[in-house]
């Protein structure tokens, strides 16, 4: 048999023995039930191991027997015994029990109603378990119960009113549960109740007036509930009350003055409610008060509480109200017990309250987030017990007094957000207990004193946003406990001291926005706890030490805007990176795929370097990646389809590389994508319509690629789009009218493409367009739509280098915000709006000189020039006509004269030959025919011999104009007769 089987068998024998004992009349009933109880519980720590019939019942662990002869069990205390399981119902049979304590275990299930049968029970402690369900009504049957602690469980439902039947109850503690409903009004019937703890539930409603019936109440805690309404004035009658904690509810109205009559009150906490009005002056009568917390309310008026009267007061917290004025002049006395004075986030003003210097017992002073001003008192060192001085976010000015070095107990010094100037006093090095010094957002200057490194307990230094100069103290490595070093945004110069590497506990190092230079010291390899390092905006240079690979806890790295070079591999040793930014350096080589091992990486920025190779496909494992910027490098290849696994990407920036291929359609699966920039690459093909599924896109920039085809109509689905830049591609077709759905566009650039058709009238509905509307250098036709006059916020409009025609719509003249306009190189005509007179001539050139109005020529001048051009044309036409006519006449006259000369010659020859007879020399028919043929080829006239001119017998050989005309007419008739 196994050990557990043997134990079970022995337990079975023990139970049988107890039963047999009962059967034989022996009075061992309690032992029987206790063994049954043992069998129900899981006891990993063997607390119940000696519960056995072989040992005396009264010696069993956790049991107490009565002192009489009966030796009955009167107490069962198994608190903190590591027990689990449910509360055994067999407990109801232990009717003599006066105390039952099962607290601080791991019991589950409900509180058994049968416990109501334990009529002798005076103390029931079930707190700090995992009990659930409601509080059973039967609990009200325990008439003798004085202490009931059942809190710190998972109890739910309302507080059963039957609890108020427990008239002997002194303590009721049901805090840290999940109870709801209101506080029962019957609570006032518990006349002997001394402690009522209802904290950390979900109780609502008002605090019942009937609580005044609890005359003996000393402690009342109901913080962290949802109680509302006004605080009952009747609570002032609870003269025994010592502790009142109603913090973090929704109580409202004024703080009741009758509370000042609670003369025994030592603790009053009303923080985190909605109380308004003044702090009752009568509270100065609470002479026993030690702690008063009225923070996080809506209290106003002056501070009227005086430590000179509240002599027992140790803690006064009035932060997060609307208190005004300053601290009363008689606030404190030298033998005061005040240790904490917290007045942060009010509207207090005036000089530093010297009245506080009398509170020599002060350990914590918080005046932050008020309107105090002036210089800090050099007598601050009178607060010799001060450990925490918080004066941040005021208007303190002047220098930090050297006397601060005398405050030997000071641990935390918060002075950020003031106007303190000058140097950090060297006396600061005397503060051996100083742990944190926050001086950021001041005007401090000069060098950081090396004496600061004497404060060897320092864990946090924050000097952000000052004007410190010089170098980081050479012996900074003496601060072995340093966890945070924030020196960002100063004027520090020189290299990082190698000793910094010996601050081995350093977790946060911020040296950004300075003038630091040199390379990173090899000692950085010792910063094994380093989680965040920011060095951006400095002049660091050189390759990274390979030993940086040993920094395995790095989460945030920002080395951007420096002059580092070489490989980025040394920074990839950690698998815990969440943000990695090396923008604007001179890093080269491939992107290490090892970066993908940081599965929680959300920001990866490597832009403006000289990185080569392709985007690692392993980046698909970066499922938390939100921001990816690889722009301005020398990356090649296509965009890896594995990036589609980065579903949380909001910014995808790959511009100015040498990436190629088509635009991936899987971009449509990145539902959170807000910024997409693939500009200045070699992408080709179409713009995928799937991009229209990225409904959260705010910016799309794809300019300077080789994208072609039409702009998909799905672009209109991007209703959140602010910027659309598709210029310098090969897009064709018309501008999709669906773009009107992008109501939030304030920048639209479609220039330098091959777009055709007219400008959609729907563009006039993009009333948020402000930065620019650029449609230049396309092939757009038609007229400029008047609807563009609705773009009242538009600052720049460029429609140049298209084929637009018609007039410039007068509605464009309403665009008062426009300061850049270009309508040049189109075919526009007519008058331009008068409001365009301030634009240069270049805005309108190249429109066939048909536009008029300032800054161009006036429209009347253009009309005169038009008429003048018409007259000159007519004159030129007339001159040309005259010249042509004269030329024709001269040619005809020359022809006639030649004909006359030829005929004359013919007659002369004929006469010389004997009156028309055939001569032997030169007068034969063949010879004449040859002469006539030569005349035809010489002058281009045909059938001349059929139109031979014969001199008039009447006029003789008269060659006047009339004769010429007559003969010409005759020739024409002769020609017509011949051709017929």
């Amino acid at each position: 048999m196994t050990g557990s089987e043997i134990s079970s068998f022995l337990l079975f024998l023990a139970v049988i023995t107890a039963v047999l004992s009962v059967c034989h009349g022996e009075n061992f009933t309690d032992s029987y039930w206790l063994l049954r109880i043992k069998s129900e519980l899981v006891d990993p720590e063997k607390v119940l191991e000696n519960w056995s019939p072989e040992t005396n019942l009264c010696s069993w662990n956790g049991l107490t027997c009565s002192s009489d002869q009966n030796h009955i069990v009167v107490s069962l205390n198994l608190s903190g015994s590591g027990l689990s399981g449910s509360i055994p119902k067999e407990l109801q049979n232990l009717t003599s029990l006066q105390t039952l304590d099962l607290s601080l275990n791991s019991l589950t299930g409900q509180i058994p109603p049968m416990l109501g049968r334990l009529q002798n029970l005076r103390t029931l402690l079930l707190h700090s378990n995992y009990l659930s369900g409601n509080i059973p009504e039967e609990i009200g049957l325990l008439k003798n119960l004085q202490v009931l602690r059942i809190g710190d469980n998972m109890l739910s439902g309302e507080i059963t009113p039957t609890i108020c039947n427990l008239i002997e109850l002194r303590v009721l503690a049901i805090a840290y549960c999940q109870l709801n409903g209101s506080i029962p009004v019957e609570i006032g019937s518990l006349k002997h109740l001394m402690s009522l703890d209802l904290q950390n539930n979900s109780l609502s409603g008002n605090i019942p007036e009937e609580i005044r019936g609890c005359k003996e109440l000393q402690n009342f805690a109901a913080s962290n509930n949802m109680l509302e309404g006004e605080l009952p004035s009747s609570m002032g009658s609870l003269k025994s009350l010592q502790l009142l904690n109603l913090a973090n509810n929704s109580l409202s109205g004024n703080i009741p003055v009758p509370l000042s009559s609670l003369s025994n009150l030592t603790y009053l906490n009303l923080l985190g409610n909605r109380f308004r009005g003044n702090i009752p002056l009568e509270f100065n009568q609470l002479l026993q008060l030690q702690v008063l917390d009225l923070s996080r309310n809506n209290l106003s008026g002056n501070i009227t509480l005086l430590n000179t009267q509240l002599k027992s007061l140790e803690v006064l917290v009035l932060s997060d109200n609307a208190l005004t004025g300053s601290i009363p002049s008689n606030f404190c006395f030298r033998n005061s017990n005040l240790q904490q004075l917290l007045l942060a986030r009010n509207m207090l003003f005036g000089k530093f309250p010297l009245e506080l210097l009398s509170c020599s017992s002060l350990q914590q002073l918080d005046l932050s987030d008020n309107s105090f001003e002036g210089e800090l008192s050099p007598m601050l060192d009178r607060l010799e017990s001060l450990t925490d001085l918080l004066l941040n976010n005021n208007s303190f000015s002047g220098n930090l007094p050297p006397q601060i070095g005398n405050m030997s107990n000071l641990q935390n010094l918060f002075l950020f957000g003031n106007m303190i100037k000058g140097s950090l006093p060297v006396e600061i090095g005397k503060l051996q207990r100083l742990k944190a010094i926050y001086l950021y957002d001041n005007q401090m200057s000069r060098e950081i004193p090396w004496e600061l490194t004497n404060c060897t307990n320092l864990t946090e230094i924050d000097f952000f946003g000052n004007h410190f100069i010089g170098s980081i103290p050479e012996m900074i490595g003496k601060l072995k406990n340093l966890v945070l070093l924030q020196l960002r945004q100063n004027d520090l110069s020189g290299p990082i001291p190698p000793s910094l590497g010996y601050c081995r506990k350093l977790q946060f190092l911020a040296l950004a926005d300075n003038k630091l230079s040199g390379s990173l010291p090899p000692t950085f390899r010792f910063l094994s706890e380093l989680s965040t390092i920011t060095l951006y905006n400095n002049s660091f240079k050189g390759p990274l030490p390979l030993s940086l690979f040993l920094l395995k806890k790095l989460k945030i790295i920002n080395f951007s805007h420096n002059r580092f070079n070489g490989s980025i591999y040394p920074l990839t040793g950690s698998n815990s990176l969440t943000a990695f930014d090396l923008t604007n350096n001179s890093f080269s080589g491939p992107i290490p795929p090892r970066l993908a091992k940081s599965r929680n990486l959300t920001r990866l920025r490597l832009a403006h370097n000289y990185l080569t190779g392709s985007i690692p496909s392993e980046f698909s494992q970066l499922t938390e990646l939100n921001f990816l910027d690889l722009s301005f490098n020398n990356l090649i290849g296509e965009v890896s389809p594995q990036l589609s696994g980065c579903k949380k990407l909001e910014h995808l920036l790959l511009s100015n590389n040498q990436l190629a291929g088509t635009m991936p359609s899987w971009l449509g699966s990145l539902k959170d994508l807000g910024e997409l920039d693939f500009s200045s690459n070699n992408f080709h093909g179409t713009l995928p319509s799937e991009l229209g599924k990225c409904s959260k896109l705010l910016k799309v920039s794809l300019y300077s690629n080789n994208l072609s085809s039409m702009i998909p109509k799905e672009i209109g689905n991007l209703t959140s789009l602010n910027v659309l830049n598709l210029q310098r591609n090969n897009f064709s077709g018309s501008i999709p009218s669906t773009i009107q759905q992008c109501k939030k566009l304030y920048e639209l650039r479609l220039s330098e493409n091959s777009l055709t058709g007219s400008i959609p009238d729907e563009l006039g509905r993009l009333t948020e367009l402000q930065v620019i509307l650029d449609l230049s250098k396309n092939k757009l036709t038609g007229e400029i739509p008047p609807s563009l006059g609705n773009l009242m916020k538009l600052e720049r409009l460029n429609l140049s280098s298209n084929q637009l025609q018609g007039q410039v719509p007068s509605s464009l003249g309403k665009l008062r915000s426009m300061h850049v306009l270009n309508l040049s190189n189109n075919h526009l005509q007519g008058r331009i709006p008068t409001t365009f007179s301030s634009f240069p001539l270049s805005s309108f050139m190249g429109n066939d000189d048909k536009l008029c109005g300032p800054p161009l020529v006036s429209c009347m001048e253009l009309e005169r020039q038009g008429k003048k051009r018409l007259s000159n044309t007519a004159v030129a036409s007339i001159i040309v006509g005259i010249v042509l006519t004269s030329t024709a006449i001269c040619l005809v006259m020359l022809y006639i004269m030649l004909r006359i000369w030829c005929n004359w010659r013919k007659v002369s020859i004929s006469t010389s030959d004997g009156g028309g007879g055939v001569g032997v020399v030169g007068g034969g028919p063949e010879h004449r025919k040859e002469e006539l043929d030569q005349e035809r080829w010489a002058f281009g006239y045909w059938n001349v011999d059929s139109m031979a001119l014969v001199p008039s017998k009447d006029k003789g050989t008269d060659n006047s104009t009339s004769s010429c005309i007559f003969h010409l007419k005759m020739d024409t008739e002769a020609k017509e007769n011949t051709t017929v």
Side-chain angles (χ1 to χ4, degrees), residues 616-621 639-646 666:
S617 60
E618 290 84 354
F619 279 9
S620 61
Q621 302 169 26
V639 180
S640 173
Q642 282 80 4
L643 280 180
S644 61
C646 305
W666 52 258

Side-chain angles (χ1 to χ4, degrees), residues 22 153 166 261 299 345 435 584 621 669 709 786 790 855 871 898:
V22 172
N153 278 290
L166 307 177
S261 61
L299 300 173
R345 291 171 294 282
K435 293 183 178 179
N584 199 10
Q621 302 169 26
S669 66
S709 191
N790 298 328
S871 300
L898 287 172

Side-chain angles (χ1 to χ4, degrees), residues 110-185:
Q110 298 184 344
I111 299 175
M114 287 72 72
L115 291 183
R117 298 180 183 179
L118 302 177
Q119 294 295 307
N120 292 308
L121 207 58
R122 296 182 180 181
T123 301
L124 177 58
L125 306 178
L126 302 177
H127 61 88
S128 302
N129 279 286
Y130 297 97
L131 301 173
S132 58
N134 297 339
I135 301 173
E137 294 182 1
E138 290 78 2
I139 211 86
L141 300 174
L142 303 174
K143 301 297 184 181
N144 294 307
L145 199 63
Q146 297 180 5
V147 178
L148 176 60
R149 295 182 181 273
I150 55 176
D152 194 17
N153 278 290
M154 301 167 63
L155 301 174
S156 58
E158 298 186 0
I159 300 173
T160 175
T162 61
I163 283 182
C164 301
N165 297 332
L166 307 177
I167 56 176
E168 297 298 323
L169 201 62
R170 267 66 170 172
V171 176
L172 175 58
I174 46 178
Y176 295 92
C177 290
Q178 301 170 17
L179 301 172
N180 52 36
S182 58
I183 301 174
V185 294

Side-chain angles (χ1 to χ4, degrees), residues 566-731:
S567 173
I568 68 177
Y569 186 80
L571 293 175
T572 62
S574 171
N575 295 339
S576 304
L577 291 172
T578 59
F580 191 68
D581 191 344
L582 304 181
T583 303
N584 199 10
N585 278 280
S586 298
F587 289 111
S588 57
I591 300 173
R594 179 180 170 77
L595 280 171
K597 291 184 178 295
S598 293
R599 301 298 173 83
N600 293 317
L601 191 63
T602 60
R603 294 174 66 86
L604 177 57
R605 305 192 67 178
L606 304 176
H608 293 273
N609 281 285
Y610 299 100
L611 300 174
T612 56
S614 58
I615 301 172
S617 60
E618 290 84 354
F619 279 9
S620 61
Q621 302 169 26
L622 300 176
T623 54
E624 300 297 316
L625 197 61
N626 171 277
F627 202 124
L628 177 61
D629 185 359
L630 306 178
S631 56
F632 292 90
N633 279 287
N634 297 316
L635 300 175
I636 59 174
E638 298 187 2
V639 180
S640 173
Q642 282 80 4
L643 280 180
S644 61
C646 305
K647 298 299 184 183
K648 294 185 179 181
L649 265 177
E650 295 181 16
H651 305 268
L652 180 54
L653 312 179
L654 304 178
S655 67
N656 294 88
N657 279 284
Q658 300 173 29
L659 299 170
T662 58
M663 287 283 294
S665 60
W666 52 258
L667 288 171
S669 66
L670 304 180
K671 302 302 182 182
D672 292 328
L673 197 61
E675 183 180 12
L676 176 66
D677 191 348
F678 281 17
S679 57
S680 297
N681 278 287
N682 298 314
F683 291 106
H684 64 271
T686 62
L687 180 60
S689 60
E690 289 84 357
L691 196 63
K693 298 177 182 179
C694 302
S695 59
K696 294 183 180 179
L697 266 172
L698 300 176
K699 178 180 179 180
V700 174
S701 187
L702 306 175
Y703 67 86
S704 296
N705 278 286
N706 297 312
L707 299 173
S708 58
S709 191
M710 298 180 67
I711 300 173
K713 65 180 186 303
E714 288 81 4
I715 204 78
N717 297 336
L718 306 180
T719 54
S720 298
L721 203 61
N722 296 148
V723 176
L724 177 60
N725 190 342
L726 303 180
Q727 64 186 13
R728 293 200 290 277
N729 277 285
N730 296 315
F731 288 112

